[in-house]
Structure formats: C-alpha cells, structure tokens
C-alpha cells in the first residue's frame, strides 16, 4: 500500500494536553503491519472478492499513520503527527460504497447493534428520543426503533444518508459543529465515530449541549491500551513468526486495530477524564469486541474463527473493560 501524504502536524495529547509520550510504533512498524494485515485477510477471503468488499478490512478512510504514540499523562493512544482537521470531513464525505455493500454491512451488524440497543435501554431505564452521530448505514437506528426509541441520524456522507433515508429513517447531513436541531434529546449516541473526530473534547461539549441534566451520552471507542499492550508481541520484520505473534495478530486484525486506522485509541481513564471535563459522569463501562465483519466473501473456516475469537474476547472482557479491544461508555450529563 502506498502512503498518501496529507498535511501533518505535531500535536500534544488532545485529552490532557501533555507533550510527553512514548512511541508505540514508528512508520516502519506501520508498514510491516500493513503487509501483515493484507496477508491475514488474503487467506480469509475468497479469491474473487470484489475490491469494494475490502473496505474496513484492509482499506480504511484514514491513510496509514506515520507514527503512533501513547500519552504519558492519561494513556491515550493517538497518531502524532496528525492529519490536519480540514482534511477529515472530506475523507468521509467522499466515500460512496455501492448500495449492495451498504445493505450487506447493515445485515452483518444487526445482532451487534441489537445488543447495544438493549444495553442502552438498561442504562436509561426507558425508551426515549436520541440522535446517533455517525449513523452510517442505519444499523443502530433500526435496532433502536424496534425497541421503541425515536432515534435520528447525523452523518457527513450524503450518499450513505440517502440509503438510510430510503429505509425510512430521518438523517441530517452534517456534523456536531453545525448541528442545531433546536431541541434536547434523552440520548446522544456516538458508536465507532468518536475516535475519528478531529477534536473529541469539543465533540463531547457539543453533545452535552444536546442533553438535559441526566441525559445520556453513549460512546463506543477502540481501546488504545489493548493495541499498545499487544503490539510488542508482533515484533519487527523477521520476528512475526514468534509464538505469540499469530494470536496477537488475530486479536488485532479481527478487531480492526492492526495498522491502527483511527485518530484516537482511548483508555477508560483517558475517556473518563475527557467526559468529566465536558460535564459528564461515567455511569457504566462495558468491554466488547468489534462488530462482526465476516460476510458471503469470507471463507467458512475464517468466519468460524472470527466468531470463536470474539466470543472468547467477550468472556475475558467480563473481568474488566480494560482487557477488551473495544469499550462502551455510558455517561450522564451532570
């Protein structure tokens, strides 16, 4: 894969402002991860798999990072240098997957979003109103509606929003910065999007403005510490065949953490700190695995492998969210 060259800039930690950090992986290490990820999925996909079905497996909206660091102050894992803010929205707004790809994604993620809607209902205690930031194919909107919620979507991609509107949902094209519905919601949900935002701190403040006291902000983010702890097991080129490397590679690849295609990888501590500064108090933390990605282009044994591995991860996560590759956090506006 060729490294694209957007405009980059060095930046302090976006959560605590510290400039002290340790390097988790450098550019050469990222290159090795890219090659390893392609090899991993090449074995697990059918030979005739169309290129568009490689999205979110080996091809992502963000270009590969140049370097990944972990903040010494709060533990946040993030790209540094970072893409400048003006490029981010364009990356997502210009993506236009085919309708059949969008329909397949909505189907494969149905069970995972149903579980999220159930957990949200347990936290809030009743169905109510909500807005999902980064609603994408509308999987969560459908799951929430089936459980009595009145949710609408907010997403920057108008082509994807047209697909969701055709399924009968209300979606606004835009982002939190310019979203002003003139009303408050019971819930603001940001699943699998918060970690990609240019300024997650400002996003939390904007979400707070959409909620009354006691309203719930629901977030789902990659666990940066999970990546930082497993990354050394991969070694460097020539050592990827070590005893722990296949397990570490599978855990990272099946959870879309290999090559770290995100801007931020939160920890429970860093996310709790950010939310407290924005006017929230964390009420529940839940550890989980990535939503399923196996589809009709995945060979049979690989689909079974993904299901088995993610079931095992969910069992381990019961001991504590810190052990999970993905974290759900529910916080109430104070």
């Amino acid at each position: 894969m060729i490294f694209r060259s957007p405009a980059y800039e060095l930046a302090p930690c976006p959560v605590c402002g510290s400039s002290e950090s340790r390097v988790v992986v450098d550019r050469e290490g990222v290159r090795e991860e890219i090659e390893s990820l392609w090899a991993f999925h090449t074995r697990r996909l059918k030979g005739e798999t169309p290129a568009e079905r490689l999205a979110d497996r080996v091809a992502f909206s963000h270009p590969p990072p140049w370097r990944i660091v972990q903040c010494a102050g709060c533990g946040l894992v993030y790209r540094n240098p970072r893409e400048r803010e003006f490029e981010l929205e364009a990356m997502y707004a210009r993506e236009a997957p085919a309708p059949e790809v969008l329909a397949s994604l909505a189907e494969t993620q149905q069970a995972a979003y149903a579980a999220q809607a159930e957990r949200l209902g347990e936290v809030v205690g009743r169905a109510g109103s909500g807005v999902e930031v980064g609603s994408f194919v509308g999987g969560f909107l459908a799951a929430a509606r089936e459980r009595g919620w009145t949710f609408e979507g907010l997403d920057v991609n108008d082509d994807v929003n047209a697909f969701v509107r055709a399924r009968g949902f209300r979606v606004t094209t835009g982002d939190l910065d310019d979203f002003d519905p003139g009303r408050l919601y019971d819930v603001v949900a940001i699943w699998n999007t918060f970690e990609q935002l240019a300024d997650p701190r400002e996003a939390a403040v904007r979400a707070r403005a959409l909620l009354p006291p006691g309203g719930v902000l629901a977030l789902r983010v990659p666990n940066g510490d999970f990546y930082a702890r497993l990354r050394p097991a991969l070694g460097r080129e020539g050592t990827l065949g070590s005893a722990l490397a296949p397990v570490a590679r599978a855990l990272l690849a099946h959870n879309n953490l290999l090559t770290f295609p995100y801007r931020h990888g939160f920890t429970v501590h860093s996310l709790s700190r950010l939310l407290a500064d924005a006017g929230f108090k964390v009420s529940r933390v839940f550890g989980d695995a990535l939503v399923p990605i196996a589809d009709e282009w995945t060979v049979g044994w690989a689909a079974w492998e993904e299901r088995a591995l993610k079931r095992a991860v969910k069992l381990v996560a019961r001991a504590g969210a810190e052990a999970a590759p993905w974290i759900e956090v529910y916080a109430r506006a104070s």
Side-chain angles (χ1 to χ4, degrees):
M1 180 179 291
I2 298 174
F3 279 86
R4 286 162 38 188
S5 297
Y8 286 94
E9 59 183 355
L10 289 169
C13 173
V15 169
C16 70
S18 173
S19 297
E20 298 295 324
S21 63
R22 71 175 184 89
V23 176
V24 177
V25 60
D26 58 17
R27 188 185 183 193
E28 181 63 17
V30 172
R31 182 192 66 78
E32 293 167 6
E33 284 191 37
I34 292 171
E35 294 176 355
S36 181
L37 183 65
W38 273 90
F40 181 88
H41 283 298
T42 297
R43 294 186 60 232
R44 289 161 174 79
L45 294 173
K46 299 175 182 177
E48 65 275 19
T49 302
E52 60 268 20
R53 293 305 181 93
L54 300 178
D56 291 334
R57 283 192 174 98
V58 296
F60 303 95
S61 301
H62 280 287
W66 282 66
R67 184 177 65 168
I68 301 167
V69 303
Q70 185 167 33
C71 174
C74 67
L76 181 79
V77 173
Y78 65 103
R79 296 170 171 223
N80 203 9
R82 300 156 61 81
E83 301 90 351
R84 292 181 181 172
E85 184 173 347
F86 69 86
E87 295 197 337
L88 292 179
E89 184 172 334
M91 289 181 187
Y92 288 101
R94 64 175 173 244
E95 286 187 325
E100 60 270 20
V101 175
L102 298 176
S104 176
L105 287 170
E107 181 179 353
T108 57
Q109 296 175 3
Q110 183 176 354
Y113 280 125
Q116 285 177 267
E118 290 286 350
R119 287 193 290 271
L120 181 61
E122 293 172 4
V123 171
V124 179
R126 59 175 176 82
S129 64
V131 59
E132 182 191 7
V133 181
S135 47
F136 194 42
V137 296
F140 177 75
L141 299 181
R145 184 166 66 182
E146 289 176 359
R147 287 154 182 80
W149 288 86
T150 303
F151 255 87
E152 59 187 272
L154 176 65
D155 201 285
V156 298
N157 192 310
D158 203 35
D159 291 329
V160 176
N161 290 345
F163 168 83
V164 177
R165 293 186 188 109
R167 300 179 66 200
F169 299 101
R170 179 180 176 181
V171 186
T172 299
T173 300
D175 57 27
L176 272 172
D177 289 339
D178 51 35
F179 184 59
D180 184 15
R183 55 169 296 194
L184 299 178
Y185 299 89
D186 297 311
V187 174
V188 174
I190 312 180
W191 312 120
N192 302 77
T193 299
F194 193 72
E195 69 281 354
Q196 303 287 37
L197 300 178
D199 188 345
R201 178 180 291 277
E202 178 60 25
V205 172
R206 289 288 303 125
R208 175 64 185 85
L210 298 174
L211 295 166
V216 172
L217 174 62
L219 302 176
R220 183 180 176 89
V221 295
N223 182 352
D225 201 47
F226 185 90
Y227 172 80
R229 284 186 283 109
L230 283 184
R231 180 57 183 81
L234 297 181
R236 297 301 299 260
E237 189 171 3
T239 66
L240 288 174
S242 65
L244 294 178
V247 176
R249 188 185 304 112
L251 285 167
L252 294 174
H254 277 310
N255 285 287
N256 274 6
L257 289 171
L258 198 60
T259 75
F260 199 74
Y262 310 106
R263 285 176 64 82
H264 311 97
F266 291 91
T267 62
V268 174
H269 172 69
S270 62
L271 192 54
S272 298
R273 178 170 177 169
L274 182 151
L275 293 178
D277 291 346
F280 291 96
K281 182 177 181 181
V282 173
S283 60
R284 182 177 177 185
V285 180
F286 178 81
D288 202 5
L290 183 73
V291 296
I293 60 174
D295 56 18
E296 69 271 25
W297 300 102
T298 307
V299 298
W301 68 265
W304 177 89
E305 175 194 71
E306 182 191 11
R307 288 193 299 270
L309 183 142
K310 288 181 177 176
R311 286 195 192 105
V313 167
K314 290 173 185 288
L315 289 174
V316 172
R318 291 180 182 177
E322 293 83 357
W326 284 79
I327 305 169
E328 278 183 21
V329 171
Y330 300 85
R332 289 195 178 271
S334 55

